[in-house]
Protein backbone atom coordinates (compact mmCIF):
# COMPACT_ATOMS: atom_id res chain seq x y z
CA UNK A 1 0.00 0.00 0.00
CA UNK A 2 1.26 3.51 -0.80
CA UNK A 3 2.16 6.02 1.91
CA UNK A 4 -1.12 7.95 1.76
CA UNK A 5 -3.06 4.69 1.89
CA UNK A 6 -1.21 3.65 5.04
CA UNK A 7 -1.87 7.07 6.57
CA UNK A 8 -5.58 6.84 5.81
CA UNK A 9 -5.79 3.35 7.31
CA UNK A 10 -4.05 4.53 10.48
CA UNK A 11 -6.42 7.51 10.76
CA UNK A 12 -9.42 5.22 10.37
CA UNK A 13 -8.16 2.83 13.06
CA UNK A 14 -7.50 5.60 15.54
CA UNK A 15 -10.83 7.35 14.93
CA UNK A 16 -12.79 4.08 14.98
CA UNK A 17 -11.05 2.88 18.15
CA UNK A 18 -10.50 -0.67 16.88
CA UNK A 19 -9.10 -2.64 13.95
CA UNK A 20 -12.41 -4.44 13.32
CA UNK A 21 -14.48 -1.23 13.11
CA UNK A 22 -11.92 0.40 10.85
CA UNK A 23 -11.95 -2.67 8.62
CA UNK A 24 -15.73 -2.41 8.22
CA UNK A 25 -15.46 1.28 7.33
CA UNK A 26 -12.74 0.53 4.77
CA UNK A 27 -14.58 -2.55 3.47
CA UNK A 28 -11.53 -4.78 3.91
CA UNK A 29 -10.61 -7.64 6.19
CA UNK A 30 -9.30 -7.03 9.70
CA UNK A 31 -6.07 -8.83 8.85
CA UNK A 32 -5.44 -6.36 6.01
CA UNK A 33 -5.81 -3.45 8.43
CA UNK A 34 -3.46 -5.06 10.96
CA UNK A 35 -0.91 -5.71 8.23
CA UNK A 36 -1.09 -2.08 7.05
CA UNK A 37 -0.52 -0.71 10.56
CA UNK A 38 2.40 -3.10 11.11
CA UNK A 39 3.88 -2.01 7.79
CA UNK A 40 3.51 1.66 8.71
CA UNK A 41 5.11 1.20 12.13
CA UNK A 42 7.98 -0.77 10.54
CA UNK A 43 8.56 1.92 7.94
CA UNK A 44 8.56 4.70 10.57
CA UNK A 45 10.54 2.71 13.10
CA UNK A 46 8.23 3.72 15.97
CA UNK A 47 5.23 2.25 17.73
CA UNK A 48 2.07 4.22 16.92
CA UNK A 49 -0.64 2.28 18.75
CA UNK A 50 -1.10 0.58 22.08
CA UNK A 51 -3.42 -2.42 21.77
CA UNK A 52 -5.65 -3.83 24.50
CA UNK A 53 -8.89 -5.78 24.87
CA UNK A 54 -10.72 -2.42 25.03
CA UNK A 55 -9.38 -1.23 21.69
CA UNK A 56 -6.45 0.89 20.60
CA UNK A 57 -4.91 4.12 21.85
CA UNK A 58 -2.15 6.20 20.28
CA UNK A 59 1.32 6.47 21.75
CA UNK A 60 2.79 9.96 22.06
CA UNK A 61 4.41 9.49 18.65
CA UNK A 62 1.09 8.14 17.38
CA UNK A 63 -0.78 11.28 18.42
CA UNK A 64 1.75 13.49 16.66
CA UNK A 65 1.64 11.34 13.54
CA UNK A 66 -2.16 11.37 13.54
CA UNK A 67 -2.38 15.17 13.45
CA UNK A 68 0.15 15.46 10.65
CA UNK A 69 -1.34 12.57 8.72
CA UNK A 70 -4.81 14.13 8.84
CA UNK A 71 -3.44 17.35 7.42
CA UNK A 72 -1.57 15.46 4.69
CA UNK A 73 -4.70 13.54 3.68
CA UNK A 74 -6.73 16.77 3.68
CA UNK A 75 -4.14 18.47 1.46
CA UNK A 76 -4.13 15.53 -0.94
CA UNK A 77 -7.91 15.53 -1.13
CA UNK A 78 -7.85 19.28 -1.61
CA UNK A 79 -5.43 18.91 -4.51
CA UNK A 80 -7.67 16.31 -6.14
CA UNK A 81 -10.74 18.48 -5.63
CA UNK A 82 -9.05 21.57 -7.00
CA UNK A 83 -8.27 19.80 -10.26
CA UNK A 84 -11.74 18.31 -10.58
CA UNK A 85 -13.52 21.51 -9.61
CA UNK A 86 -11.52 23.62 -12.04
CA UNK A 87 -13.27 21.96 -14.95
CA UNK A 88 -16.54 20.71 -13.48
CA UNK A 89 -19.41 21.59 -11.20
CA UNK A 90 -18.91 21.27 -7.46
CA UNK A 91 -19.30 17.72 -6.15
CA UNK A 92 -18.63 15.80 -2.97
CA UNK A 93 -19.28 16.68 0.66
CA UNK A 94 -18.69 19.88 2.61
CA UNK A 95 -18.52 19.98 6.43
CA UNK A 96 -19.90 23.22 7.89
CA UNK A 97 -19.71 24.21 11.57
CA UNK A 98 -22.37 26.56 12.96
CA UNK A 99 -24.41 27.26 16.08
CA UNK A 100 -27.65 25.37 16.62
CA UNK A 101 -30.19 28.19 16.77
CA UNK A 102 -28.71 30.28 13.98
CA UNK A 103 -28.71 27.23 11.71
CA UNK A 104 -32.31 26.31 12.57
CA UNK A 105 -33.74 29.81 12.21
CA UNK A 106 -31.67 31.31 9.42
CA UNK A 107 -29.34 28.90 7.63
CA UNK A 108 -31.49 25.82 6.98
CA UNK A 109 -34.40 27.86 5.50
CA UNK A 110 -31.95 29.31 2.99
CA UNK A 111 -30.22 26.01 2.11
CA UNK A 112 -32.53 25.23 -0.87
CA UNK A 113 -30.93 28.19 -2.65
CA UNK A 114 -27.48 26.67 -2.21
CA UNK A 115 -28.57 23.16 -3.19
CA UNK A 116 -30.28 24.46 -6.31
CA UNK A 117 -27.08 26.21 -7.35
CA UNK A 118 -24.91 23.15 -6.56
CA UNK A 119 -27.03 20.01 -7.14
CA UNK A 120 -24.09 17.59 -6.82
CA UNK A 121 -22.79 18.96 -3.52
CA UNK A 122 -23.72 17.50 -0.11
CA UNK A 123 -23.49 19.26 3.26
CA UNK A 124 -22.63 17.92 6.71
CA UNK A 125 -23.80 20.44 9.33
CA UNK A 126 -21.76 20.22 12.54
CA UNK A 127 -23.99 22.03 15.04
CA UNK A 128 -22.67 23.24 18.39
CA UNK A 129 -22.77 26.53 20.29
CA UNK A 130 -19.23 25.94 21.49
CA UNK A 131 -16.22 26.93 19.40
CA UNK A 132 -15.02 23.74 17.74
CA UNK A 133 -11.52 23.03 16.49
CA UNK A 134 -11.98 23.09 12.71
CA UNK A 135 -9.03 20.83 11.98
CA UNK A 136 -9.80 18.34 14.75
CA UNK A 137 -13.45 18.11 13.66
CA UNK A 138 -12.58 17.90 9.97
CA UNK A 139 -14.56 21.06 9.21
CA UNK A 140 -14.10 22.87 5.90
CA UNK A 141 -15.79 26.15 6.86
CA UNK A 142 -17.31 27.56 10.03
CA UNK A 143 -19.77 30.32 10.90
CA UNK A 144 -18.89 32.16 14.11
CA UNK A 145 -20.18 35.13 16.08
CA UNK A 146 -18.45 37.84 18.07
CA UNK A 147 -14.74 38.63 18.29
CA UNK A 148 -12.47 35.83 17.08
CA UNK A 149 -10.13 34.53 19.77
CA UNK A 150 -7.98 32.43 17.40
CA UNK A 151 -5.84 34.86 15.39
CA UNK A 152 -4.48 32.01 13.23
CA UNK A 153 -7.82 31.48 11.49
CA UNK A 154 -8.35 32.73 7.98
CA UNK A 155 -11.59 34.62 8.30
CA UNK A 156 -14.07 36.87 6.59
CA UNK A 157 -16.60 39.13 8.28
CA UNK A 158 -19.88 38.83 6.41
CA UNK A 159 -22.24 40.83 8.60
CA UNK A 160 -23.27 42.40 11.87
CA UNK A 161 -26.53 42.27 13.81
CA UNK A 162 -27.72 44.54 16.63
CA UNK A 163 -28.12 43.38 20.20
CA UNK A 164 -31.39 44.21 21.90
CA UNK A 165 -33.04 44.04 25.32
CA UNK A 166 -35.80 41.49 24.73
CA UNK A 167 -38.72 40.00 26.65
CA UNK A 168 -42.27 38.78 26.16
CA UNK A 169 -45.24 41.16 26.43
CA UNK A 170 -46.47 39.05 29.34
CA UNK A 171 -43.18 39.48 31.19
CA UNK A 172 -43.28 43.27 30.78
CA UNK A 173 -46.94 43.33 31.83
CA UNK A 174 -46.02 41.59 35.08
CA UNK A 175 -42.73 43.34 35.89
CA UNK A 176 -42.96 46.64 34.02
CA UNK A 177 -41.05 48.08 31.08
CA UNK A 178 -37.62 49.50 31.97
CA UNK A 179 -37.33 53.15 30.92
CA UNK A 180 -33.56 53.42 31.42
CA UNK A 181 -30.75 50.84 31.36
CA UNK A 182 -30.16 51.27 35.10
CA UNK A 183 -33.67 49.92 35.78
CA UNK A 184 -32.54 46.55 34.40
CA UNK A 185 -30.92 45.76 37.76
CA UNK A 186 -34.45 45.35 39.17
CA UNK A 187 -35.46 42.79 36.54
CA UNK A 188 -35.09 39.05 36.20
CA UNK A 189 -32.55 38.35 33.48
CA UNK A 190 -31.53 35.31 31.46
CA UNK A 191 -27.81 35.42 30.71
CA UNK A 192 -26.31 33.65 27.70
CA UNK A 193 -22.90 32.55 28.95
CA UNK A 194 -21.47 32.08 25.46
CA UNK A 195 -22.38 35.59 24.31
CA UNK A 196 -18.97 36.92 23.30
CA UNK A 197 -18.50 40.50 24.34
CA UNK A 198 -21.56 40.32 26.56
CA UNK A 199 -21.49 38.67 29.94
CA UNK A 200 -23.14 40.40 32.86
CA UNK A 201 -21.87 43.97 32.38
CA UNK A 202 -23.15 45.91 29.39
CA UNK A 203 -22.33 49.37 28.03
CA UNK A 204 -25.43 51.20 26.78
CA UNK A 205 -24.84 54.20 24.51
CA UNK A 206 -27.16 57.07 23.67
CA UNK A 207 -26.21 60.33 21.93
CA UNK A 208 -22.61 60.33 23.09
CA UNK A 209 -23.29 59.09 26.62
CA UNK A 210 -22.37 55.68 28.02
CA UNK A 211 -24.12 53.86 30.82
CA UNK A 212 -22.54 50.67 32.19
CA UNK A 213 -25.02 48.28 33.77
CA UNK A 214 -24.22 45.07 35.64
CA UNK A 215 -27.09 42.63 35.39
CA UNK A 216 -27.62 39.88 37.93
CA UNK A 217 -29.41 36.66 37.13
CA UNK A 218 -30.64 33.47 38.73
CA UNK A 219 -30.52 31.71 35.35
CA UNK A 220 -27.40 31.39 33.23
CA UNK A 221 -27.61 29.31 30.05
CA UNK A 222 -24.84 27.98 27.82
CA UNK A 223 -26.97 27.47 24.68
CA UNK A 224 -29.02 29.89 22.65
CA UNK A 225 -31.88 27.37 22.49
CA UNK A 226 -32.01 27.46 26.29
CA UNK A 227 -32.06 31.26 26.32
CA UNK A 228 -34.93 31.29 23.85
CA UNK A 229 -36.92 28.76 25.89
CA UNK A 230 -36.42 30.73 29.11
CA UNK A 231 -37.41 34.06 27.60
CA UNK A 232 -40.41 32.69 25.70
CA UNK A 233 -41.67 31.11 28.93
CA UNK A 234 -41.54 34.47 30.68
CA UNK A 235 -38.71 33.62 33.09
CA UNK A 236 -36.96 36.89 32.37
CA UNK A 237 -35.73 39.37 29.81
CA UNK A 238 -32.42 38.97 28.06
CA UNK A 239 -29.85 40.89 26.04
CA UNK A 240 -29.35 39.02 22.81
CA UNK A 241 -28.59 39.49 19.15
CA UNK A 242 -31.58 40.19 16.95
CA UNK A 243 -31.05 37.00 14.92
CA UNK A 244 -31.75 34.85 18.00
CA UNK A 245 -35.38 36.06 18.18
CA UNK A 246 -36.12 37.23 14.63
CA UNK A 247 -39.35 35.16 14.19
CA UNK A 248 -40.74 36.27 17.56
CA UNK A 249 -39.85 39.92 16.97
CA UNK A 250 -41.74 39.70 13.68
CA UNK A 251 -44.80 38.03 15.22
CA UNK A 252 -44.85 40.16 18.37
CA UNK A 253 -44.24 37.20 20.69
CA UNK A 254 -41.15 39.07 21.87
CA UNK A 255 -40.61 42.82 21.98
CA UNK A 256 -37.53 45.00 22.24
CA UNK A 257 -37.25 47.76 24.85
CA UNK A 258 -34.75 50.56 25.45
CA UNK A 259 -34.40 50.79 21.68
CA UNK A 260 -33.15 54.38 21.87
CA UNK A 261 -30.00 52.95 23.45
CA UNK A 262 -27.45 50.93 21.50
CA UNK A 263 -25.37 47.92 22.55
CA UNK A 264 -22.30 46.29 20.97
CA UNK A 265 -23.28 44.59 17.74
CA UNK A 266 -22.74 40.92 16.99
CA UNK A 267 -20.38 40.11 14.12
CA UNK A 268 -20.92 37.13 11.83
CA UNK A 269 -17.78 35.56 10.35
CA UNK A 270 -16.96 32.74 8.01
CA UNK A 271 -13.76 31.02 9.10
CA UNK A 272 -11.47 28.52 7.40
CA UNK A 273 -8.93 26.09 8.89
CA UNK A 274 -5.48 27.61 9.12
CA UNK A 275 -2.64 26.23 7.08
CA UNK A 276 -4.41 25.11 3.95
CA UNK A 277 -6.08 26.58 0.90
CA UNK A 278 -9.87 26.79 1.10
CA UNK A 279 -11.54 24.47 -1.38
CA UNK A 280 -13.78 25.70 -4.16
CA UNK A 281 -16.70 24.17 -2.21
CA UNK A 282 -15.87 26.20 0.90
CA UNK A 283 -15.42 29.37 -1.15
CA UNK A 284 -18.80 28.79 -2.81
CA UNK A 285 -20.47 28.35 0.57
CA UNK A 286 -18.84 31.52 1.90
CA UNK A 287 -20.15 33.45 -1.09
CA UNK A 288 -23.61 31.96 -0.53
CA UNK A 289 -23.64 33.03 3.14
CA UNK A 290 -22.54 36.55 2.30
CA UNK A 291 -25.14 36.96 -0.44
CA UNK A 292 -27.99 35.46 1.61
CA UNK A 293 -27.28 37.53 4.70
CA UNK A 294 -26.87 40.79 2.83
CA UNK A 295 -30.24 41.66 4.34
CA UNK A 296 -32.17 41.66 7.64
CA UNK A 297 -31.17 40.68 10.30
CA UNK A 298 -27.57 41.25 9.20
CA UNK A 299 -25.71 44.07 7.56
CA UNK A 300 -22.75 42.83 5.54
CA UNK A 301 -19.30 44.28 5.38
CA UNK A 302 -15.63 43.32 5.38
CA UNK A 303 -13.23 44.90 7.85
CA UNK A 304 -9.82 46.17 6.87
CA UNK A 305 -8.36 43.88 9.54
CA UNK A 306 -9.15 40.74 7.58
CA UNK A 307 -9.44 41.88 3.99
CA UNK A 308 -5.72 41.56 3.35
CA UNK A 309 -5.83 37.88 4.39
CA UNK A 310 -8.49 36.82 1.91
CA UNK A 311 -5.99 36.25 -0.89
CA UNK A 312 -4.53 33.40 1.21
CA UNK A 313 -7.60 31.28 0.51
CA UNK A 314 -8.56 32.60 -2.90
CA UNK A 315 -11.25 35.06 -1.78
CA UNK A 316 -11.49 38.66 -2.86
CA UNK A 317 -13.21 41.72 -1.46
Amino acid sequence: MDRLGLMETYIRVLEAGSFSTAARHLNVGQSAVSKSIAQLEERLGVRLLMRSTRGVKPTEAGRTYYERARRAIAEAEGADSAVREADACLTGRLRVSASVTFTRLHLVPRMPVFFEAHPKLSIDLVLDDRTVDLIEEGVDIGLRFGPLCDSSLVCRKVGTAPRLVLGTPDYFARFGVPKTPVELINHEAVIYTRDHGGGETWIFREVGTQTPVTISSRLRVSSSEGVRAAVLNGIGLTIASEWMFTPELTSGAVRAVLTEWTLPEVELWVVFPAGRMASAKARAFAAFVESEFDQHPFRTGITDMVAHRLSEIGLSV
Side-chain angles (χ1 to χ4, degrees):
M1 184 179 293
D2 60 49
R3 181 181 297 183
L4 286 178
L6 293 175
M7 284 183 176
E8 188 168 8
T9 299
Y10 173 69
I11 290 169
R12 289 291 188 124
V13 169
L14 198 55
E15 292 180 344
S18 71
F19 282 60
S20 58
T21 303
R24 288 197 300 270
H25 291 170
L26 294 168
N27 199 28
V28 298
Q30 183 174 337
S31 60
V33 173
S34 299
K35 182 179 179 181
S36 295
I37 297 302
Q39 182 181 345
L40 180 61
E41 289 180 324
E42 181 180 358
R43 188 179 69 80
L44 295 173
V46 296
R47 188 178 182 184
L48 298 174
L49 295 173
M50 296 181 290
R51 302 154 176 86
S52 71
T53 56
R54 296 182 177 180
V56 295
K57 290 185 177 180
T59 62
E60 184 175 350
R63 284 192 294 270
T64 300
Y65 188 77
Y66 170 75
E67 295 299 332
R68 291 179 176 270
R70 281 196 62 175
R71 290 197 290 269
I73 294 296
E75 289 292 341
E77 291 177 348
D80 291 347
S81 297
V83 173
R84 289 194 297 264
E85 293 164 356
D87 195 39
C89 65
L90 299 181
T91 61
R93 190 166 296 276
L94 182 72
R95 282 177 64 82
V96 179
S97 170
S99 64
V100 178
T101 301
F102 176 78
T103 300
R104 180 172 67 85
L105 295 180
H106 301 288
L107 185 58
V108 168
R110 291 168 163 87
M111 288 304 299
V113 175
F114 186 78
F115 285 133
E116 184 177 357
H118 306 287
K120 295 185 178 181
L121 191 59
S122 300
I123 300 291
D124 282 349
L125 289 176
V126 182
L127 303 184
D128 203 318
D129 279 5
R130 68 185 176 90
T131 301
V132 303
D133 185 310
L134 301 187
I135 294 177
E136 183 177 327
E137 298 286 342
V139 169
D140 301 296
I141 182 172
L143 304 181
R144 291 186 179 172
F145 294 93
L148 299 180
C149 299
D150 187 350
S151 60
S152 68
L153 290 172
V154 179
C155 52
R156 178 170 186 154
K157 179 182 172 184
V158 297
T160 59
R163 280 190 177 96
L164 303 169
V165 181
L166 301 166
T168 62
D170 177 67
Y171 171 84
F172 291 124
R174 287 185 291 125
F175 296 100
V177 177
K179 299 298 191 294
T180 66
V182 174
E183 293 181 26
L184 291 173
I185 63 176
N186 299 318
H187 281 261
E188 291 292 334
V190 179
I191 291 179
Y192 181 33
T193 58
R194 293 188 182 276
D195 199 342
H196 300 285
E200 299 181 12
T201 299
W202 294 88
I203 304 296
F204 288 80
R205 294 181 172 86
E206 181 194 38
V207 194
T209 63
Q210 297 186 6
T211 303
V213 177
T214 299
I215 300 174
S216 61
S217 174
R218 292 190 297 163
L219 182 60
R220 298 164 58 86
V221 187
S222 64
S223 77
S224 51
E225 286 292 283
V227 173
R228 281 176 49 81
V231 171
L232 294 176
N233 280 281
I235 293 175
L237 53 73
T238 193
I239 296 176
S241 53
E242 184 180 355
W243 67 261
M244 195 184 293
F245 288 91
T246 301
E248 291 77 20
L249 284 165
T250 302
S251 69
V254 164
R255 59 175 292 197
V257 297
L258 299 175
T259 54
E260 65 273 24
W261 298 78
T262 60
L263 288 156
E265 293 184 317
V266 180
E267 299 168 329
L268 171 62
W269 305 80
V270 292
V271 295
F272 305 86
R276 69 171 186 256
M277 182 74 71
S279 67
K281 292 178 289 188
R283 295 197 302 272
F285 193 82
F288 156 73
V289 170
E290 186 169 12
S291 65
E292 283 299 307
F293 293 101
D294 186 15
Q295 54 190 301
H296 185 81
F298 289 92
R299 296 187 298 276
T300 60
I302 301 173
T303 63
D304 293 338
M305 179 180 70
V306 299
H308 70 283
R309 302 192 62 192
L310 300 181
S311 59
E312 299 178 26
I313 56 171
L315 291 172
S316 60
V317 178

